[in-house]
Amino acid sequence: MKDLQLKVLRNEPLSHNTWLMELEGGPVVDLLKPGHFVMMRSWKSLDPLGRRAFAVADATESSFTIMYQVVGRATALLSQVREGEEVSVLAPLGKGLFSTEGDKHLLVGGGIGMAGLTFLGKKLIRMGKEVLVAYGARTKRELALLHWLKREGFEVLLYTEDGSEGKKGSVVDVLDYVDSTWTVHACGPVGMLRAIKNRSAGRRVFLSLEARMACGWGVCLGCVVGKEKGGYARVCYEGPVFEASEVVL
Ligand SMILES: Cc1cc2nc3c(=O)[nH]c(=O)nc-3n(C[C@H](O)[C@H](O)[C@H](O)COP(=O)(O)OP(=O)(O)OC[C@H]3O[C@@H](n4cnc5c(N)ncnc54)[C@H](O)[C@@H]3O)c2cc1C
Ligand code: FES
């Protein structure tokens, strides 16, 4: 893990409340793998307190990208950062990462959780694997990453709860269409992840979890999740990606 000041190369809206920020990669870019996240701050004051966590959504040889939804003060401040300014970044974070084993991979993203799967999807496609992406949200307006996904060449099955785009219903329903030869990777709201876990028997399923995080590197114990075998795991340190059978949701 490195503590860095990195230059923002672009910070632009993808939708009414979702932004894409590309940062210079610095000395961490070669270390980034699908599942890793970063802790970031763009403000110098004590309010908001502490950095905020964001999944690595893409990386090139010289830069990496996050995609974030403006939900509170920290993300609102991030959206005001201009090109050329520097932000403070801890990276890479997380030891539990996605597995690329197997030939067929289903990526299930709920809302902004889709950003936690895009780096994995690009890597799997580069490796020549079969990749199916399912992206769901409450309504069409919330499918903020859709244009980006299409531009990057992903074929995407869409789900909205109100039926305003794609199939009407939950993105979890995509599990009806794949058998146990597919490895499933999911990121999104905890209710969605719980529903996927409940349908994971006989499949390899990896869940990228989110939790409120203070430190991001294992020392504050603020982000723990129960383990099926007893005890707790730190989402930031042992995770953020866990096999569905490992954790209590
Ligand atoms: C490992 C990890 C990866 C993440 N990746 C992304 C990402 O790629 N893109 C993205 O937009 N967001 C991501 N998040 C969530 C992001 O960290 C929060 O949205 C951010 O911290 C909110 O800060 P804020 O000050 O703007 O809002 P706050 O005022 O802190 O929160 C606003 C609202 O969001 C809820 N919230 C905040 N943080 C979380 C959280 N971690 N889990 C569940 N609910 C939360 C709060 O309960 C509150 O209702 C990730 C979180 C984790 C732990
Ligand atoms: S956020 Fe501090 S231990 Fe995980």
Side-chain angles (χ1 to χ4, degrees), residues 52-55 67-69 71-72 74-75 112 210-213:
R52 296 297 199 261
F54 300 96
M67 298 186 214
Y68 61 97
Q69 196 171 6
V71 291
T75 43
I112 191 62
E210 291 189 2
R212 296 304 298 246
M213 290 186 180

Side-chain angles (χ1 to χ4, degrees), residues 217-225 232-240 242:
W217 45 288
V219 296
C220 74
L221 305 184
C223 65
V224 295
V225 61
Y232 295 91
R234 293 160 291 184
V235 173
C236 71
Y237 194 75
E238 282 82 24
F242 296 91

Side-chain angles (χ1 to χ4, degrees), residues 20-217:
L20 176 152
M21 181 184 279
E22 184 180 1
L23 299 114
E24 65 176 357
V28 287
V29 76
D30 293 336
L31 306 174
L32 296 174
K33 297 197 176 94
H36 272 140
F37 69 100
V38 302
M39 295 286 285
M40 188 182 288
R41 67 188 292 166
S42 62
W43 54 95
K44 296 203 165 50
S45 60
L46 285 176
D47 175 29
L49 191 63
R51 295 177 169 94
R52 296 297 199 261
F54 300 96
V56 175
D58 196 9
T60 68
E61 284 169 6
S62 57
S63 69
F64 70 91
T65 297
I66 63 162
M67 298 186 214
Y68 61 97
Q69 196 171 6
V70 174
V71 291
R73 197 158 140 68
T75 43
L77 288 169
L78 268 190
S79 72
Q80 289 163 20
V81 174
R82 300 221 181 95
E83 191 182 305
E85 290 179 356
E86 289 194 339
V87 292
S88 165
V89 179
L90 283 185
L93 295 169
K95 290 194 184 303
L97 304 176
F98 288 113
S99 167
T100 55
E101 281 173 30
D103 293 330
K104 298 195 278 187
H105 294 261
L106 169 66
L107 278 49
V108 188
I112 191 62
M114 192 69 237
L117 299 168
T118 46
F119 190 22
L120 171 68
K122 288 182 83 169
K123 180 169 180 178
L124 290 168
I125 289 170
R126 273 200 308 275
M127 292 170 79
K129 311 268 178 155
E130 195 171 342
V131 177
L132 186 59
V133 177
Y135 180 24
R138 273 177 301 192
T139 182
K140 178 179 180 175
R141 186 174 148 86
E142 294 177 11
L143 294 169
L145 273 56
L146 184 55
H147 291 298
W148 185 90
L149 288 166
K150 285 189 173 167
R151 211 169 51 224
E152 294 292 328
F154 286 103
E155 281 188 34
V156 192
L157 286 173
L158 297 173
Y159 289 80
T160 50
E161 286 172 22
D162 65 0
S164 52
E165 184 78 48
K167 287 183 191 290
K168 184 173 181 178
S170 164
V171 68
V172 175
D173 297 342
V174 72
L175 291 175
D176 293 340
Y177 299 101
V178 295
D179 62 25
S180 60
T181 60
W182 289 75
T183 302
V184 179
H185 310 267
C187 185
V190 69
M192 180 197 107
L193 298 184
R194 191 178 296 124
I196 291 177
K197 175 181 162 68
N198 289 342
R199 296 178 57 174
S200 65
R203 306 176 194 264
R204 279 210 91 186
V205 177
F206 294 87
L207 305 177
S208 183
L209 304 189
E210 291 189 2
R212 296 304 298 246
M213 290 186 180
C215 72
W217 45 288

